[in-house]
Amino acid sequence: DTAVSQTPKYLVTQMGNDKSIKCEQNLGHDTMYWYKQDSKKFLKIMFSYNNKELIINETVPNRFSPKSPDKAHLNLHINSLELGDSAVYFCASSQGGDYHTDTQYFGPGTRLTVL
Amino acid sequence: AQSVTQPDIHITVSEGASLELRCNYSYGATPYLFWYVQSPGQGLQLLLKYFSGDTLVQGIKGFEAEFKRSQSSFNLRKPSVHWSDAAEYFCAVGARYQKVTFGTGTKLQVIP
């Protein structure tokens, strides 16, 4: 069984569209994260939620809005997509809320291509 | 702010040979250090981490890493590489109250 799953795996869309990426974890973890990996393989944290509460919000355009309906799900909605949003987006989860020390379990990634 | 450098973009080793992947970091105090592996089409998986204590850290899949403060390094090693180790490896550095910064990865190719 997949521990952290993301859908879709690939997403190709036009500039200006709105899209969502879904993430689910079945590990019973309290904390979930979204990361962006750009074309140069730089991986940066975007958001973190602990028990449905936002605890990390890096400098990310407000076109990106995470939504956590319950602690097993953290979805990422992106409005008005831009070319620069093309990247691989990874969801992750951890048992505790310490982003610095807790082992994080990553999903397989969603490759977003904006045309 | 901390930074991390993985000098080798791509490394090729023969199956059964030893492996060392380099990681250098920049941070004023004692950092938290991590190594992750990413297999094709998969997410990152934590191999090992160092916070304090013994500077030689054992991880999963037969990997180990050694924290050398004097060299600001945290190199990953494996004595005998298996074909299934072919993947991309990411070093990361963090600290209390600092975000975790990832390197740009080293792609490992294993040849028979």
Side-chain angles (χ1 to χ4, degrees):
Chain A
D1 286 341
T2 305
V4 181
S5 59
Q6 298 178 226
T7 53
K9 195 159 186 173
Y10 300 95
L11 184 55
V12 181
T13 188
Q14 300 284 336
M15 269 198 321
N17 284 351
D18 303 338
K19 290 293 178 187
S20 291
I21 307 171
K22 295 186 177 181
C23 178
E24 176 181 4
Q25 53 96 3
N26 62 6
L27 298 167
H29 287 170
D30 288 335
T31 307
M32 295 183 74
Y33 310 82
W34 275 110
Y35 286 84
K36 178 181 180 181
Q37 186 180 46
D38 64 21
S39 58
K40 294 193 170 114
K41 296 291 182 82
F42 279 114
L43 188 66
K44 293 183 181 177
I45 191 164
M46 300 172 70
F47 302 103
S48 169
Y49 268 72
N50 179 268
N51 278 315
K52 303 198 300 174
E53 284 193 34
L54 182 66
I55 56 171
I56 293 177
N57 185 358
E58 288 295 305
T59 307
V60 175
N62 57 15
R63 299 181 293 104
F64 290 78
S65 52
K67 288 184 173 43
S68 183
D70 55 60
K71 75 173 195 178
H73 296 84
L74 181 62
N75 303 324
L76 184 64
H77 189 76
I78 316 170
N79 288 329
S80 303
L81 278 155
E82 300 178 357
L83 293 177
D85 298 331
S86 296
V88 181
Y89 292 85
F90 288 100
C91 177
S93 72
S94 65
Q95 176 64 55
D98 191 337
Y99 152 73
H100 303 93
T101 58
D102 291 337
T103 297
Q104 295 182 33
Y105 295 79
F106 283 76
T110 296
R111 182 175 293 276
L112 171 66
T113 303
V114 182
L115 303 175
Chain B
Q2 70 269 25
S3 65
V4 60
T5 303
Q6 293 180 247
D8 304 306
I9 296 171
H10 191 273
I11 281 186
T12 300
V13 300
S14 298
E15 191 167 15
S18 64
L19 171 70
E20 182 166 23
L21 302 182
R22 296 185 291 164
C23 173
N24 295 99
Y25 70 89
S26 172
Y27 185 64
T30 300
Y32 300 156
L33 294 159
F34 310 83
W35 272 102
Y36 286 86
V37 61
Q38 184 179 19
S39 298
Q42 304 293 318
L44 280 73
Q45 180 184 23
L46 182 69
L47 287 174
L48 47 80
K49 57 187 177 184
Y50 170 81
F51 298 146
S52 63
D54 193 347
T55 56
L56 184 62
V57 182
Q58 300 297 321
I60 61 171
K61 304 186 180 190
F63 286 92
E64 66 177 27
E66 187 170 10
F67 170 54
K68 292 186 177 179
R69 185 189 300 276
S70 61
Q71 298 175 21
S72 298
S73 69
F74 189 57
N75 295 348
L76 182 71
R77 300 193 295 248
K78 186 168 184 178
S80 177
V81 169
H82 188 261
W83 63 266
S84 61
D85 294 324
E88 192 143 19
Y89 292 80
F90 292 88
C91 181
V93 61
R96 183 61 69 186
Y97 309 121
Q98 300 283 334
K99 64 182 177 183
V100 176
T101 300
F102 287 79
T104 51
T106 297
K107 196 162 191 174
L108 173 65
Q109 182 180 10
V110 180
I111 56 176

